[in-house]
Amino acid sequence: MVGWQRHLQSLLRQAGRRLDQSRLSPLYSFYHSKAAPGLGEAAHRNILWSSHFHCTTRPLYHYVQQLGFTSTRKLLADSSNETPISSPLTPALALSGGKAEPEKPVSKPSKVQAVLKGIKQSPKKVNLVAALVRGMRVEDALLQLQVTVKRASKTVYQVIHSARANATHNHGLDPDRLLVAEAFVGKGFYRKRVSYHAKGRCGVKVRPECRLTVVLREITPEEEAEIAKLRVHNFRKLTKREKRLVPHQLIETTPIWSRKSKSKDAASDAMAA
């Protein structure tokens, strides 16, 4: 407690004591004026004494109010003239007098991202793995990272998994239709340390850091149709973008030993006959 607060409390106590003494002075004069009071006077005196003890046990702010100090901390329940202020947390139904407003449709964001900072690895090494899954569907990207022999694959896996959780739980996107739209790496702090060499020499070694950002979006109907067509053609040579959409080919149940066209096979059979 600060010194001026203690000083103020002592002044308030002194003022309260003087106020009590001024109240008790007629009581003491009445008590000394009559030596043998009657029964009614004794009862009246007991009432005065009880009222005095109730006054002395009152809290400090009662004395402050009697001395003329005003306080702005008043409850709305004590004052009947003041109208209560409407809370911003009150639902709109209670404020509008029973008329429910039509709910606006919640717009889903087109892209959702997740960022991981302070990765203790070179940006080039992390970017090698990020470029591997860029443009893939989320399920295929997570499957590809599980079989990738790179130290950064675990980091990229965690960021993609976090971005999918953000899109599913926070924004209500469909987890089965998510696509890795962007996956880029930024440069972080490059901490320089002393590297001790032979013959009393030294150099500078760098401990790089980077940050990874993964952006997800939902697949459009055109892309879904393209993926369905690509999964039908097992032996078609796919472009780089098509390989990212369908990185894992379907396993063939029936082997095809000859991949030539049927017309050539028929011609060869006729020549053999």
Side-chain angles (χ1 to χ4, degrees):
M1 186 179 293
V2 194
W4 66 269
Q5 294 181 353
R6 290 196 294 268
H7 184 63
L8 179 61
Q9 282 191 356
S10 62
L11 289 177
L12 294 176
R13 289 195 194 97
Q14 291 178 6
R17 290 170 188 170
R18 291 179 183 178
L19 185 61
D20 292 340
Q21 290 176 3
S22 63
R23 287 185 177 182
L24 287 176
S25 57
L27 180 62
Y28 284 117
S29 61
F30 175 78
Y31 176 74
H32 291 291
S33 61
K34 294 184 179 181
L39 183 60
E41 295 175 356
H44 181 65
R45 189 183 307 164
N46 293 334
I47 293 172
L48 290 176
W49 275 105
S50 62
S51 63
H52 164 65
F53 286 118
H54 285 299
C55 292
T56 54
T57 56
R58 290 184 302 174
L60 184 62
Y61 68 89
H62 283 180
Y63 295 109
V64 176
Q65 291 177 358
Q66 290 179 1
L67 291 175
F69 295 99
T70 58
S71 175
T72 57
R73 301 173 64 180
K74 294 181 180 180
L75 297 176
L76 293 177
D78 296 338
S79 58
S80 59
N81 297 329
E82 299 181 3
T83 57
I85 303 173
S86 61
S87 173
L89 302 178
T90 307
L93 181 61
L95 297 177
S96 60
K99 297 180 180 179
E101 296 181 358
E103 296 182 358
K104 298 181 179 180
V106 180
S107 60
K108 296 182 180 180
S110 58
K111 295 182 180 180
V112 180
Q113 70 176 8
V115 184
L116 180 61
K117 303 178 182 179
I119 304 172
K120 294 184 179 180
Q121 201 170 1
S122 172
K124 292 183 179 180
K125 296 179 181 179
V126 179
N127 190 39
L128 288 175
V129 184
L132 180 64
V133 298
R134 190 179 298 132
M136 285 187 182
R137 298 173 66 245
V138 171
E139 294 181 358
D140 298 335
L142 295 179
L143 184 62
Q144 179 66 44
L145 292 172
Q146 289 178 4
V147 296
T148 302
V149 190
K150 285 284 185 180
R151 186 164 70 92
S153 60
K154 182 179 179 180
T155 304
V156 180
Y157 182 93
Q158 292 174 349
V159 179
I160 293 178
H161 192 276
S162 177
R164 183 177 68 173
N166 293 341
T168 304
H169 299 288
N170 299 346
H171 304 286
L173 300 181
D174 189 4
D176 298 331
R177 301 181 60 231
L178 292 178
L179 184 77
V180 182
E182 301 176 21
F184 54 90
V185 184
K187 182 179 176 181
F189 289 106
Y190 264 50
R191 306 182 187 277
K192 295 183 179 180
R193 297 292 182 265
V194 180
S195 177
Y196 297 100
H197 298 174
K199 298 182 180 180
R201 299 176 182 177
C202 63
V204 178
K205 61 181 177 181
V206 178
R207 293 185 175 178
E209 291 185 3
C210 63
R211 65 176 64 186
L212 175 62
T213 305
V214 174
V215 182
L216 305 183
R217 65 174 176 86
E218 283 190 343
I219 300 176
T220 59
E222 292 79 8
E223 290 175 341
E224 286 184 350
E226 185 180 358
I227 290 173
K229 290 180 181 178
L230 292 175
R231 285 180 174 176
V232 173
H233 304 285
N234 290 332
F235 305 106
R236 175 185 167 186
K237 188 176 180 180
L238 305 180
T239 62
K240 186 176 181 181
R241 176 179 172 278
E242 291 174 347
K243 285 182 179 179
R244 285 179 175 175
L245 287 175
V246 188
H248 313 290
Q249 295 291 338
L250 296 178
I251 299 176
E252 298 178 1
T253 56
T254 56
I256 301 176
W257 302 106
S258 177
R259 299 182 183 179
K260 297 179 181 179
S261 61
K262 295 181 180 180
S263 60
K264 292 183 178 179
D265 294 340
S268 62
D269 293 341
M271 290 294 293

